[in-house]
Amino acid sequence: AQSVADFYKGRTVTLVYGFGAGGTYGRYSLTLADFLSKYIPGNPKIVAQSMPGAGGLKAANYAYNVMPKDGSSLYMPVDSLIISQLLRPNKVKFQADKFTWLGTVIQSNAVIVVRSDAGINKLSDLKTKQVIMASSGKGSQTFLMPQLLNALYGAKCQIVAGYRGSRKMQLSMEQGESQGVSLTWLAWSSAKPQWFKPGGFAKPLVQIGVTKDPALPNVPMFSDVVKSDDDKKIVAFMASMSPIGRGLAVPPGTPADRTKALQVAFAKMMADPAFEVAAKKRKLLVSGLPAAQIQKIVSDALKISPAIVKRAQKLIMGAK
């Protein structure tokens, strides 16, 4: 039998992510490609490959169904993986819990941000004034989170899809094509920190996640805004995206010995101070979770009741 080291020696491993190269998915992928190799037996070369489309779902479907299942390909899951599986079953060709996680690099809340000149001074203003929100597609939080506010809060977010990557959506705000976007606070703080200084170009309105981001103590959690128990369950389910994105996984069928070697390599990389230094140089943070914990989060999130899923499908996706 071929050893793990023999398999990887002299090999090129492809790391696929579902967005444009300039955003946090692209920058994390490049950083992982630089560092993970030295901890994998055989030290293969790792090449990051951008595969944008459908808010990250194109890459997810590819990873599950087409990607080689021999350990020569890695996938950086989109943070809306679970949400899309449950809310858009006709568009999804994967089962999120069948991917095997190697670990994640960062946890970061979704934060809806608008231009300071949009006439929105507080969250409740979204109920009376329409804002144009840029989106990469219905599989992305850039659609799901504004639509969540529309459905449960009565916000008037007009969502315009078709942008590829967070940088292009942020550019659309600068150029006045849109007035806001929902991205992780990591994406905002790493790419546009100057926007959020006093009197700056933009302001955060609300955050969606498991716990409040320490950097945003005065920005309300949407889970505290909604009132009914059913609405709170939907928000909690949507918040599952916070700990999931920007990690690595392999598709089902990948040999167990190679999967284990990759998980060990990922953990060693995360413990390497040089990795965190390299991430900071790309304006990225390192605060991830181990493989077993992510696997449990995914499994538990998929146990949500069919009644809550059906209600969420109707409210957020317009399903009948």
Side-chain angles (χ1 to χ4, degrees):
Q2 188 179 31
S3 71
V4 172
D6 287 342
F7 174 79
Y8 282 114
K9 187 174 182 179
R11 186 177 294 272
T12 296
V13 171
T14 303
L15 191 170
V16 175
Y17 61 98
F19 296 96
T24 55
Y25 281 88
R27 284 181 284 144
Y28 273 116
S29 293
L30 290 173
T31 310
L32 288 166
D34 289 344
F35 272 83
L36 186 59
S37 173
K38 68 178 179 177
Y39 295 110
I40 300 174
N43 308 120
K45 179 181 179 181
I46 302 177
V47 176
Q49 178 184 341
S50 170
M51 187 180 289
L57 289 188
K58 178 181 178 181
N61 288 334
Y62 167 83
Y64 193 86
N65 296 285
V66 182
M67 176 178 280
K69 297 172 173 57
D70 59 358
S72 66
S73 296
L74 309 174
Y75 168 54
M76 179 172 282
V78 59
D79 50 17
S80 59
L81 198 74
I82 297 170
I83 297 169
S84 293
Q85 177 177 329
L86 294 177
L87 298 191
R88 306 184 69 205
N90 294 334
K91 298 292 184 180
V92 162
K93 297 179 175 62
F94 59 79
Q95 295 182 55
D97 57 339
K98 300 300 183 184
F99 285 107
T100 301
W101 258 258
L102 309 185
T104 60
V105 186
I106 186 70
Q107 306 171 69
S108 190
N109 289 351
V111 180
I112 290 181
V113 166
V114 298
R115 286 173 55 123
S116 296
D117 63 4
I120 305 295
N121 297 312
K122 55 187 181 300
L123 180 60
S124 59
D125 290 340
L126 287 178
K127 292 183 175 183
T128 58
K129 187 175 179 64
Q130 179 179 281
V131 292
I132 300 170
M133 304 290 292
S135 171
S136 59
K138 287 188 174 182
S140 164
Q141 67 139 305
T142 59
F143 171 87
L144 294 165
M145 298 311 172
Q147 187 62 14
L148 179 69
L149 264 66
N150 288 347
L152 300 187
Y153 189 64
K156 297 182 180 297
C157 298
Q158 180 183 342
I159 304 168
V160 178
Y163 294 93
R164 290 199 168 191
S166 59
R167 291 298 180 91
K168 292 188 176 180
M169 287 180 272
Q170 289 166 335
L171 179 61
S172 79
M173 285 180 65
E174 291 179 320
Q175 295 176 334
E177 295 175 0
S178 67
Q179 297 166 294
V181 187
S182 175
L183 299 169
T184 62
W185 183 241
L186 168 73
W188 288 118
S189 59
S190 65
K192 301 293 181 182
Q194 71 278 9
W195 282 13
F196 304 101
K197 294 178 180 178
F201 177 75
K203 62 182 70 175
L205 288 181
V206 65
Q207 52 183 317
I208 302 163
V210 178
T211 58
K212 183 173 282 193
D213 191 301
L216 300 171
N218 299 318
V219 178
M221 293 287 288
F222 194 52
S223 55
D224 295 331
V225 174
V226 297
K227 302 301 182 185
S228 77
D229 288 343
D230 282 353
D231 286 355
K232 287 183 179 294
K233 288 177 183 177
I234 291 175
V235 175
F237 153 59
M238 298 292 282
S240 67
M241 59 154 282
S242 174
I244 288 177
R246 299 164 187 82
L248 288 180
V250 292
T254 302
D257 59 339
R258 294 171 196 168
T259 298
K260 181 62 178 177
L262 291 169
Q263 289 174 328
V264 170
F266 191 97
K268 288 181 177 179
M269 178 197 68
M270 288 290 290
D272 184 350
F275 174 68
E276 187 169 356
V277 170
K280 286 182 177 179
K281 287 182 179 179
R282 287 190 165 117
K283 298 182 179 180
L284 300 171
L285 299 175
V286 175
S287 176
L289 294 172
Q293 193 168 346
I294 291 296
Q295 210 78 46
K296 185 177 187 304
I297 288 171
V298 173
S299 177
D300 289 349
L302 289 171
K303 294 174 183 175
I304 186 172
S305 77
I308 295 296
V309 172
K310 187 173 181 179
R311 184 165 183 265
Q313 285 175 329
K314 182 177 180 180
L315 290 171
I316 299 171
M317 307 307 301
K320 296 180 179 179

